[in-house]
Amino acid sequence: MARAVSTRRKLIYTLAAWTAGLLIFFPILWTVLTSFKTEADAIADPPVFLFFDWTLENYAIVQERSDYMRFLWNSVIIAGGSTLLGVLIAVPAAWSMAFVPSRRTKDILLWMLSTKMLPAVGVLYPIYLIFIEMGLLDSRIGLTLVLMLINLPIIVWMLYTYFREIPAEILEAARMDGATLREEILYVLTPMAVPGIASTVLLNIILAWNEAFWTLNLTAAKAAPLTAFIASYSSPEGLFYAKLSAASTMAIAPILILGWFSQKQLVRGLTFGAVK
């Protein structure tokens, strides 16, 4: 029998959750507010929170100096393309590890995860030379491939976890009914794991969207995404906090909107299989 939770404890938990949420969200809120300030108000001491002269001048200047839509389109193609390609590779890989018994499965998963422990700068030089030789430097295709390979271990791990929650008997029944391997994955496994796949896609779009190291080192101008767009307003000479905040707000707005509208799907996918 479930133990009743007192009203006082519920109130404490609610206040604690709201406090933690506000602390996490405050830097984003401060960035958005700063984007509407003048440069003088942005560096005011003591800082001003709400009572300042609101202005859209920073957004106008940023849009005038930079082609925001080009950076945005590059981010959409790179983040979406790398995630889609990663899922296409990870689904059969996760299926084989989840439903084909092997003593090496845990070792393979651990090895894949260990690749995320290597500092990215450790492989920058060889990848940079490969990109030069193959003509992929400052290209959307090159960045899409790199971000797909970077996030592929996470995609496989997440899909493997979701697939393990699906009873193997269902797939065996499909095989007995004459389903081929392709039909088994496409028409039986994938529809049952839609919540898990959706949350994996959303999480990896966010990871690819926010990736800065590779996008700054492997692009110049042609394929530069929004991370490079933000970096262009970060200068050691002069104070451009308001304009930098405006650029940052314009860069994070699309992914915040996506996360807001898909939060139910994301939570559903992340808790997939947690309650039986």
Side-chain angles (χ1 to χ4, degrees):
M1 182 177 180
R3 185 175 59 182
V5 180
S6 64
T7 304
R8 180 180 179 184
R9 180 168 294 183
K10 287 182 180 179
L11 180 60
I12 293 174
Y13 288 162
T14 301
L15 290 175
W18 273 100
T19 302
L22 289 174
L23 288 175
I24 295 172
F25 183 71
F26 183 77
I28 298 177
L29 176 62
W30 186 259
T31 299
V32 174
L33 290 176
T34 305
S35 68
F36 292 101
K37 299 177 182 179
T38 63
E39 293 294 351
D41 288 334
I43 61 172
D45 188 19
V48 291
F49 189 66
L50 292 174
F51 304 102
F52 56 86
D53 295 327
W54 293 64
T55 178
L56 294 174
E57 180 184 4
N58 299 310
Y59 289 94
I61 294 175
V62 168
Q63 182 60 34
E64 181 182 349
R65 293 182 180 179
S66 306
D67 187 358
Y68 170 75
M69 293 305 300
R70 178 174 62 85
F71 289 101
L72 175 63
W73 183 238
N74 286 340
S75 287
V76 171
I77 292 177
I78 294 169
S82 63
T83 300
L84 178 61
L85 185 59
V87 169
L88 291 176
I89 296 174
V91 167
W95 170 87
S96 65
M97 287 188 285
F99 299 107
V100 180
S102 175
R103 297 179 180 178
R104 297 291 183 180
T105 298
K106 292 184 178 180
D107 295 333
I108 294 173
L109 288 170
L110 182 60
W111 171 78
M112 294 180 62
L113 187 62
S114 68
T115 61
K116 298 292 294 181
M117 303 176 187
L118 176 67
V121 70
V123 293
L124 173 61
Y125 187 63
I127 290 181
Y128 189 85
L129 293 179
I130 292 173
F131 268 47
I132 292 177
E133 290 294 327
M134 298 182 65
L136 294 175
L137 195 64
D138 196 19
S139 69
R140 294 171 179 169
I141 296 176
L143 274 180
T144 298
L145 291 174
V146 166
L147 295 187
M148 181 274 292
L149 293 172
I150 290 172
N151 293 327
L152 187 59
I154 297 177
I155 301 176
V156 173
W157 259 90
M158 293 184 67
L159 292 182
Y160 169 78
T161 303
Y162 298 133
F163 289 173
R164 288 289 293 173
E165 299 296 329
I166 298 176
E169 291 78 10
I170 296 178
L171 302 183
E172 293 175 0
R175 294 184 204 130
M176 293 179 64
D177 289 339
T180 63
L181 177 60
R182 175 178 171 275
E183 292 171 340
E184 177 185 332
I185 294 177
L186 286 180
Y187 303 119
V188 181
L189 177 67
T190 302
M192 295 183 64
V194 164
I197 294 175
S199 63
T200 301
V201 167
L202 291 171
L203 180 60
N204 282 272
I205 286 177
I206 294 172
L207 292 175
W209 189 279
N210 294 331
E211 177 60 42
F213 179 82
W214 293 105
T215 56
L216 293 178
N217 284 284
L218 298 179
T219 60
K222 182 180 177 182
L226 286 171
T227 47
F229 169 72
I230 297 175
S232 65
Y233 285 89
S234 179
S235 174
E237 299 177 1
L239 298 174
F240 304 105
Y241 295 138
K243 296 177 182 61
L244 176 60
S245 297
S248 299
T249 302
M250 294 171 69
I252 65 177
I255 204 68
L256 282 178
I257 294 173
L258 175 64
W260 177 264
F261 283 104
S262 60
Q263 57 182 326
K264 290 184 179 180
Q265 181 63 52
L266 184 60
V267 172
R268 181 187 176 194
L270 292 176
T271 57
F272 181 67
V275 179
K276 298 184 179 180

